[in-house]
Amino acid sequence: MNWYELTTQETLKQTNSNAQTGLSETIAQQRLKKYGENQLTEQKQSGWLIVFFKQFQDFMVMVLLVATCIAAYLGEVIDAVVILIIVLINSLLGFFQERKAEKSLAKLREMATPIAHVLRDGKWTNIPSQEVVVGDIVKVKSGDRIVADLRILSGVQLTVEESALTGESLPVEKKSDAIKADQLSLGDQHNMAFMGSLVSTGHGVGVVVATGMQTMVGQIADLIVKAPTQKTPLEKRLQHLGKVLIVISIALTALVVLAGVWRGHPPYQMFLAGISLAVAVIPEGLPAIVTVVLSLGVQRMIKRKAIVRKLSAVETLGSTTVICSDKTGTLTENKMTVVELYVDQQSIDVSGGYSVSGQFTNKNKAALPNGLAKLLSYGTLCSNARWQEGTDGHVIDGDPTEAAILMAATKFDQNLVERNGLRRIYEVPFDSNRKRMTVVMQDEHQQHIAIVKGAPDILLDRIRSIELSGRAQPFDQVQRKRIEDQIQKMANQAYRTIAVCIKPVRASVTANHEELESGLTFLGLIGIMDPPRAEAKQAIEQCKKAGIKTVMITGDHASTARAIAQQLDLMPRSGKVLTGHDLTVLSDEELINQVEETYVFARVTPKDKLRIVQALQQNGHVVAMTGDGINDAPALKVSDIGISMGVTGTDVAKEASELILLDDNFSTIVGAVEEGRNIYENIRKFIRYLLSANTGEILVMLFAMVFALPLPLLPVQILWVNLVTDGLPALALGLDKSEKDLMEQPPRPVKEGVFARGLGFKIISRGLLIGMVTFVAFLFAYQNGQQSLEYARTIAFGTLVMAQLIHVFDCRNPRSIFDRHPFGNKYLIMAVLSSVLLLCAVVYWSPLQPLFYTVSLSLKDWLGIILLSSIPTLVFSFTKR
Ligand code: ATP
């Protein structure tokens, strides 16, 4: 069946739907169950067995397995079995880490799926797009992705870009009329909108005729390949670092093996020891831990209401130097309320706040002017906000600015809107480039009137007359000055201002927007209050301390923006405000010069945002930029971190962004920056821990070989250290809470290497000391003569493990262990305690002793071990380097 051939009524009948009430929730659920979710079937995740066996593909693990086979062949069966078990446990850990990372990434993808605005049981509601079923009535607007195949029921300036399906990149206008034709190509089906296409302009309503794999894209879904997950710059850098470390580790291990053989150790013993050592010191797990820590950090961000779409954003967030934020809804509450009206040259205060009851009082203490009702009712007619039944009484659905006007009109007179008997025949929707909206209404005598509402300063040049006490007067310079003063007065109080104008027209002029919106008659001004968010003020303060500049970018009037900026303490006294008009006269170079001292950009269009981002980037800034509309996408893409709004944002903006704010709140951005900084610092912490531990391990072996001593640690002991001491505590460091002063440091330079700020020195110095104390412990115990070699090894083993387990607490701090409560990370405490328990098990539990070649130690031995093993941490805690 060709849906485009059916009339809207026939389509509704075929889909068993109703344009007024939509589907009932029960029927929708039944259809969902019967026909499945509205999604294109995704490629399957790799099965758990595959992920498990992937762990053995690691080159070093394979070498170790071969070495184990050789050991078994030579009769060292116990060694071989123990090594095998350790490798198996290691692979299991790797397996769980990878599954966890995969699962959390899948969850992230799920959270970023689009929302559909559907009519169910007579109410407009938002549902996840997967739950849309055939027969659902769906509302779409500029910036939305179409969630299923729709037959259009009505549209206002509705154009849709469907290049993915048709190859045609220009948007196509969509209408509701049936088309009688055979075999129409998709591009010619002007009353259909297909899943995945993009609404470029206007808005409309459609009925779903196909979902999921039944849609047009579904039928070619095989062509859609899942984009491979990209590695973040840090992961790439660490992968590279890993390769360098492999070479160094192999070289050092070879040195140990050669020194051992030279000093007369049996080659076979040195071979196995060398391979175990290589396995232990090669940080092959590093990239995996980084991914796990990144994705766990991302989950913490979700708790703070920020969804990361690309993992690389986490790092960039930590380097952010400027946050460019929209004003409305992000820095302000987006709870718009009309507080002042200006009509017939009089100002009227409106009380009652965000509710339907309140008082209208003339500032001149006189009676209310006659024009008031007209201003409010025409303002409401030129708006798409509607009252609808909500769970807690009546709620307003629609744009907050328009909702504020509707609320004020209702406050003035419940029946104001119904009474005027005008019917809308045409609409030019609001868009932030034009900053105005126009409708054409028809009365019962077929007379037409255009109502234009928009930013007053933008409309001033289009006004020819002003209505005073019901009569049109010429709009001369005196009148204009009076209105300008009034706009300024309202803006100074941080009010958003809207002018309402009218013009009698012939129906035929509708196609000519220029004619429709010029020669207007001014009715009055509406002043709307949108209070700044209390938490935004704190967050801006936090940004200042963290060396991050906050810039407000808004479509609102310069004075409104300045007043809000002052309420938020966003700019210093010397701070500048630039307007969209200023930007048009500034060259790129001039903008680059001025952008540093500018804190507010007002009356800008989305296009200007791109120039602002680029100017800031030219000055070396790392820019985070918010956006919600379809026109914001280019700026979001160019900025280092594009941030879109989860509630008010369009799908296009979300797709162009790296971060989505679930609550559209500025302070969430700052929270995400903090998490970003913390995750990066945590990654540095465990790199520091792992590498200094590995340095210690290799050095103790090297020292022993150079001094012609027996092996201080046996292969199974080395592998045990690698598994237990290097495993859990490192991961726990990755989950550390941020330091108190994390947001009092300047942003980290993007080009800064992982080892910057003294990390390299810390790794080598601590590693050297860990190696030395372990060696000294071994030497003492070995030369003690009365005891066995096993005893000396157990002492060395204990010292190495304890030195690392004490050092792990030091790794939480950039300076000294005394800077921070050492037991503030409960995961670390648990990890260290379990490592200590496992150490005790290996040392004291008789079934394990022969497997790990250990003997029981006395209390005196432990005192010595603790004393020696705390040296690496204590020494540097005093020097603070
Ligand atoms: P921000 O960038 O801070 O979010 P904004 O996006 O709210 O600001 P716009 O929506 O572009 O800015 O609004 C710019 C101006 O357009 C407002 O100051 C107001 O005068 C006018 N305006 C806003 N909404 C409407 C509307 N629905 N109809 C008519 N005019 C509007």
Side-chain angles (χ1 to χ4, degrees), residues 337 346 638:
T337 323
Q346 297 177 54
V638 166

Side-chain angles (χ1 to χ4, degrees), residues 402-416:
E402 299 184 351
I405 302 175
L406 178 58
M407 177 109 56
T410 315
K411 209 180 259 191
F412 184 74
D413 177 353
Q414 285 281 347
N415 305 315
L416 190 67

Side-chain angles (χ1 to χ4, degrees), residues 373-374 376-377 380 409-410 412-420:
K374 189 167 179 183
L376 284 170
S377 70
T380 314
T410 315
F412 184 74
D413 177 353
Q414 285 281 347
N415 305 315
L416 190 67
V417 189
E418 284 79 42
R419 263 209 315 264
N420 53 45

